[in-house]
Amino acid sequence: MLAIVCPGQGSQTPGFLAPWLELDGVREQLTALGRAAGHDLVAHGTESDAETIKDTAVAQPLIVAAGLVTASALFASHAELAGTGAVLAGHSVGELTATALAGVVTDEQAISLVATRGRAMAEASAVTPTGMAAVLGGDPDEVLAALEAHGLTPANINGAGQVVAAGTLEQVEALRGAPPAKARVIPLQVAGAFHTSHMSPAVDALAAAAEDVTPSAPTLRLLSNADGATVADGPDALDRLVRQVSNPVRWDRCMETMLALGVTGLVELAPAGTLVGLAKRAMPGVETLAVKTPDDLEAARTLVATHATPSTESAP
């Protein structure tokens, strides 16, 4: 069984989309998605510096667009993708990419929603200086206890010995100064405490935008960040996307579900690398591939062909 996963914010790097523009139709696709998002995604993906693409309002549409571009290069159509019988999941904002690939929303709806999400989360982040840091290693219970002691939220529980703490910059700095035993604390290149109560105002904005969308049932198995469960209903998938903004991401449970379903191959769409890194540690025996540039497409097609199953076998 095949899994296709979509990364979240912090995975973008300056110029990462430049190689993709060499493919026929990509510039036009990015331009159209950029119009829907209200951003020049071609420029942001090729020319903008690290500080510019760290901006939440820019980063989120850029990451979702990158995933959609990668999927379009890998599969000729949504029907071809659906025929693989793949399991789909996305980390944080990547869940919007996965939801579009599952056919719950169109590409244009996804990019419009993520533009609203990014703007609203950027505005919420501006209210109080907040941030996030990855906590690597340490005893899991001791890590969670340390976060609680500092008033931090375990915003992402990623498995493979990684928890992301989120809160005010002072709280994050205090954790860095007194890390849990045998753990490292690494600040992340994000501009706010995502997936915490600090993002509550963004939930209302995204919910209002979602009211204009009529979602369809997923055409492939779609996993939820909330608990790793399969989401078989379009309205439920959309509602979970809205609530996810201020609730923790349980990527550990998504990986557990993939293993329970019998996933044997995993492809991460651009900007790829982070989720493959987690899978290599938490999903032993699963063949993985990060699609970072078009040079990875041939290997990705081979992996897809090897692990794909008829869609009837893995339907939601």
Side-chain angles (χ1 to χ4, degrees), residues 99-286:
T99 301
L101 297 180
V104 175
V105 297
T106 66
D107 290 1
E108 291 73 19
Q109 288 170 334
I111 210 73
S112 178
L113 286 171
V114 77
T116 297
R117 184 185 192 272
R119 285 193 299 270
M121 291 176 72
E123 290 168 2
S125 297
V127 175
T128 303
T130 57
M132 306 175 81
V135 183
L136 308 179
D139 178 81
D141 291 335
E142 291 181 10
V143 168
L144 293 178
L147 266 58
E148 184 177 2
H150 288 287
L152 291 159
T153 299
N156 303 161
I157 301 180
N158 288 333
Q162 183 187 115
V163 175
V164 174
T168 66
L169 294 182
E170 291 80 3
Q171 290 168 333
V172 173
E173 280 303 309
L175 181 67
R176 292 184 69 194
K182 299 181 180 179
R184 291 184 296 139
V185 179
I186 302 173
L188 299 182
Q189 294 301 305
V190 295
F194 306 146
H195 306 292
T196 72
S197 59
H198 290 283
M199 293 295 110
S200 294
V203 174
D204 295 336
L206 188 57
E211 289 180 358
D212 295 329
V213 176
T214 302
S216 302
T219 56
L220 284 164
R221 188 183 296 272
L222 176 65
L223 304 186
S224 168
N225 277 187
D227 49 15
T230 297
V231 187
D233 175 73
D236 184 32
L238 195 58
D239 182 59
R240 284 171 178 257
L241 279 173
V242 171
R243 289 186 284 115
Q244 180 230 58
V245 170
S246 63
N247 287 317
V249 170
R250 294 302 305 263
W251 191 251
D252 58 336
R253 292 182 177 171
C254 289
M255 291 193 292
E256 289 166 6
T257 299
M258 291 181 215
L259 287 173
L261 290 170
V263 165
T264 53
L266 180 146
V267 172
E268 181 181 0
L269 304 182
T274 300
L275 301 182
V276 158
L278 293 172
K280 285 181 176 178
R281 294 189 291 276
M283 302 174 69
V286 173

Side-chain angles (χ1 to χ4, degrees), residues 79-92:
E80 182 179 316
L81 169 58
T84 66
V87 179
L88 295 171
H91 189 286
S92 187

Side-chain angles (χ1 to χ4, degrees), residues 2-5 20 23-24 26 29 66-78 80-81 84 86 88 101 266-270 289-305:
L2 174 69
I4 298 173
V5 297
W20 293 95
L23 300 182
D24 289 344
V26 167
Q29 183 182 9
L68 296 176
V69 164
T70 310
S72 295
L74 190 55
F75 302 101
S77 63
H78 277 284
E80 182 179 316
L81 169 58
T84 66
L88 295 171
L101 297 180
L266 180 146
V267 172
E268 181 181 0
L269 304 182
L289 179 68
V291 184
K292 297 181 178 181
T293 74
D295 291 341
D296 299 314
L297 287 172
E298 184 175 351
R301 293 186 182 104
T302 299
L303 190 149
V304 167

